Amino acid sequence: FFMSASKIQTQEAIHGHCLCGKVKIKATGVALSAGACHCQYCQRWSGGPLFTLDCGTEVKLDGACFISGFHSSEWAERGFCNNCGTHLFYRLKQNGRYFIPVGLFGPLKDLVFDHQIFIEQKPDWYCFSNKTSELTGDEIFALFAEESN
């Protein structure tokens, strides 16, 4: 879903949590490359673009009784804290790959915003000044099809 153009990864685990602190997150091997998704689902879920980090599959979530999921499509599930409502993750069903909102981790050194996806669904009323790659929904699905072969 959110393709990390950067191959830079953290040397140690990064930690985050939801607004109320009931759910704690630990992720390792995270690319320090933030992306924005402009798809209709992310816009409805977050009220605008969803900024995430590709956290891969090495993610530990503590506070399972506070985590609820929503199967938002055939290919993915979205998780949220059922106590405070914080959006916790977007997870691909095929491989368990997590994309976690950047803000849950707090400040990250050397983080870059370098890609946007579902660019054709981005509303006209905002525009980012960062130079990023911009992929359509069809282009991102084609990349994932190549990746699974």
Side-chain angles (χ1 to χ4, degrees), residues 6-130:
S6 172
K7 297 300 179 200
I8 300 169
Q9 296 194 343
T10 60
Q11 296 301 310
E12 54 193 63
I14 59 174
H15 299 268
H17 58 84
C18 65
L19 188 61
C20 70
K22 302 276 188 197
V23 178
K24 305 226 181 328
I25 303 165
K26 177 182 176 184
T28 56
V30 178
L32 291 174
S33 172
C37 181
H38 304 284
C39 80
Q40 63 182 342
Y41 301 108
C42 285
Q43 288 184 52
R44 288 204 191 279
W45 196 41
S46 66
L50 181 63
F51 292 91
T52 67
L53 291 175
D54 179 347
C55 292
T57 58
E58 295 180 46
V59 173
K60 183 174 190 261
L61 298 164
D62 290 329
C65 64
F66 295 101
I67 300 172
S68 291
F70 173 67
H71 297 277
S72 57
S73 65
E74 293 177 24
W75 58 87
E77 173 185 29
R78 295 169 190 266
F80 60 95
C81 174
N82 58 38
N83 187 62
C84 67
T86 297
H87 303 152
L88 299 171
F89 59 81
Y90 174 93
R91 181 175 54 215
L92 296 175
K93 293 177 182 178
Q94 73 181 30
N95 60 12
R97 189 167 162 187
Y98 284 86
F99 298 89
I100 298 179
V102 176
L104 299 187
F105 296 109
L108 295 170
K109 188 178 192 270
D110 300 323
L111 181 66
V112 296
F113 171 47
D114 66 358
H115 61 283
Q116 300 179 63
I117 63 170
F118 288 91
I119 196 67
E120 77 280 10
Q121 294 182 32
K122 183 186 83 53
D124 293 336
W125 55 267
Y126 67 82
C127 181
F128 301 121
S129 64
N130 304 61

